[in-house]
Amino acid sequence: MRNADIRRLDREIQATTKKLEAVRRGEWWPLNGSERRAMARAAVGGSYRVVRGRSTGRAESQLETTVSSAELRLNAELTALHAERQRLTTEAARDKAAKKSSGWF
C-alpha cells in the first residue's frame, strides 16, 4: 500500500483521539446528532425539574449514559483505525520484502 494511505489513517487517528479527549472533558462538538439530542433532552428535563424543585437524578444519569456511549463509540472507532493502520503497514512491509527478494542480486 502507499504511504499516503498510512498518513491519512494517522490523521484520522489523531482526530479521533482529540474527539475522545474532548468528550472526556465534557465538550459537545464531537457528539453525533442523536447523542446531542439526548444530551439536550436530558439537560432541559433536568433544568425543568430543578425549577420545579424536584430531584435531577434521572437526568444526570441520562447525561452520564450518553457520554459513556459516546466514549465507547469513539474508542471502537479508534481501535478499528489502529487495526487498519497495522494491516496497511504489514502489507507495505510484505510488498517491500517481496520486491527486495526478487532483485537480481
Side-chain angles (χ1 to χ4, degrees):
M1 296 262 70
R2 298 187 333 250
N3 284 336
D5 294 334
I6 295 173
R7 282 194 300 271
R8 179 185 55 82
L9 278 174
D10 285 340
R11 283 192 302 271
E12 289 182 26
I13 288 170
Q14 287 176 349
T16 306
T17 303
K18 286 180 184 178
K19 287 180 182 180
L20 185 60
E21 291 170 359
V23 167
R24 288 181 178 155
R25 284 192 307 264
E27 297 176 12
W28 284 29
W29 65 266
L31 302 178
N32 61 23
S34 64
E35 292 166 346
R36 285 183 188 175
R37 284 190 301 274
M39 293 284 280
R41 205 170 31 247
V44 168
S47 63
Y48 178 79
R49 291 182 69 81
V50 165
V51 169
R52 297 292 178 191
R54 297 183 185 151
S55 171
T56 61
R58 186 171 168 203
E60 288 175 1
S61 66
Q62 188 177 4
L63 286 170
E64 291 172 8
T65 302
T66 305
V67 168
S68 67
S69 70
E71 283 184 26
L72 187 65
R73 176 181 58 84
L74 289 170
N75 273 327
E77 282 182 26
L78 200 56
T79 302
L81 288 170
H82 278 295
E84 180 67 15
R85 186 187 190 286
Q86 183 62 40
R87 186 187 68 78
L88 288 176
T89 305
T90 303
E91 192 172 317
R94 190 179 305 123
D95 290 346
K96 186 175 181 179
K99 188 176 179 182
K100 257 188 163 178
S101 68
S102 69
W104 190 65
F105 52 106

